[in-house]
Amino acid sequence: MRIYLTGVACVGKTAVGRHSAELLSYSFFDLDEEVERYFGTSLERLQNQFLTAHSYSYEASKALSALLGRPESAHAVIALPPFGLMGGFWQVIKKTGGLKIVLRDRPENILSRITFYDIDTNLIDKQLTEKEKKLYLKDIREDFSYFRKSYQRADYWIDLAGHDVEGSSRKVVSLIADV
């Protein structure tokens, strides 16, 4: 079975996905990493080649199609980007199937995990000011609203609030056991 995890940026898709895959003895794939590997460039550099996120998703969905063609993806947890149930990615997922799960957490928890990268996907050490924290909290809340319609395409939603990676992963695994 393929399990797709999506949610807003920094909700924990990669950490929870990786640990869930370990618990299930599945392969784990971070689609952002797969896109970079497939195209041989960073996400930001690739995105900058397109006028809209929609047109980018159709091009980047080629990497998802290639991944799903690999045997090791048959039983896998795949961390999607926040817009993973939209555009080109959605078209590929609809055709190939799998369990679609939205991870959700409180905006304050997501803010505590926020990370920054440069154009070449190198981690940047950045401490947010109080003003920046307020702005990012607003952005996180707006992302919830923006992606809500596409997240309704998911089979399940899991609230991670109050859980660490282990507890969150166990919630994913227990949900899958009930399916």
Side-chain angles (χ1 to χ4, degrees):
M1 172 188 323
R2 288 189 180 112
I3 301 153
Y4 298 99
L5 299 181
T6 193
V8 299
C10 298
V11 73
K13 299 176 296 282
T14 300
V16 171
R18 183 173 280 119
H19 193 64
S20 297
E22 288 174 15
L23 293 172
L24 293 164
S25 297
Y26 277 23
S27 300
F28 172 75
F29 300 97
D30 181 319
L31 190 55
D32 286 346
E33 292 174 4
E34 294 299 317
V35 169
E36 287 186 338
R37 193 173 1 263
Y38 183 87
F39 289 99
T41 190
S42 72
L43 288 178
E44 188 172 348
R45 289 186 187 279
L46 183 62
Q47 289 167 346
N48 287 342
Q49 296 175 22
F50 296 90
L51 188 58
T52 66
H54 185 74
S55 57
Y56 161 78
S57 80
Y58 275 93
E59 184 68 14
S61 70
K62 293 175 183 176
L64 178 58
S65 292
L67 168 62
L68 299 180
R70 294 168 26 198
E72 62 270 25
S73 77
H75 298 285
V77 177
I78 302 169
L80 299 172
F83 52 91
L85 299 180
M86 299 171 76
F89 294 126
W90 176 241
Q91 296 305 314
V92 172
I93 291 168
K94 268 195 326 187
K95 289 178 188 169
T96 58
L99 189 66
K100 301 165 295 297
I101 301 171
V102 173
L103 301 181
R104 183 166 169 114
D105 202 345
R106 292 191 309 261
E108 296 77 15
N109 294 343
I110 294 168
L111 180 66
S112 72
R113 293 189 296 268
I114 199 165
T115 52
F116 298 92
Y117 297 89
D118 68 13
I119 194 167
D120 293 311
T121 319
N122 297 309
L123 187 63
I124 298 171
D125 183 26
K126 177 168 176 49
Q127 300 300 315
L128 296 175
T129 65
E130 288 305 312
K131 182 177 179 180
E132 289 171 325
K133 287 178 184 179
K134 287 178 184 176
L135 290 171
Y136 277 105
L137 279 172
K138 180 179 180 270
D139 285 346
I140 293 166
R141 289 184 183 102
E142 288 173 354
D143 283 352
F144 283 145
S145 295
Y146 179 79
F147 292 114
R148 180 175 307 279
K149 185 175 180 182
S150 70
Y151 290 167
Q152 290 173 356
R153 295 173 169 161
D155 301 301
Y156 299 98
W157 288 52
I158 297 178
D159 187 1
L160 306 181
H163 297 279
D164 60 7
V165 171
E166 177 72 26
S168 297
S169 301
R170 294 221 177 267
K171 286 182 92 168
V172 170
V173 170
S174 69
L175 174 72
I176 293 162
D178 293 339
V179 172

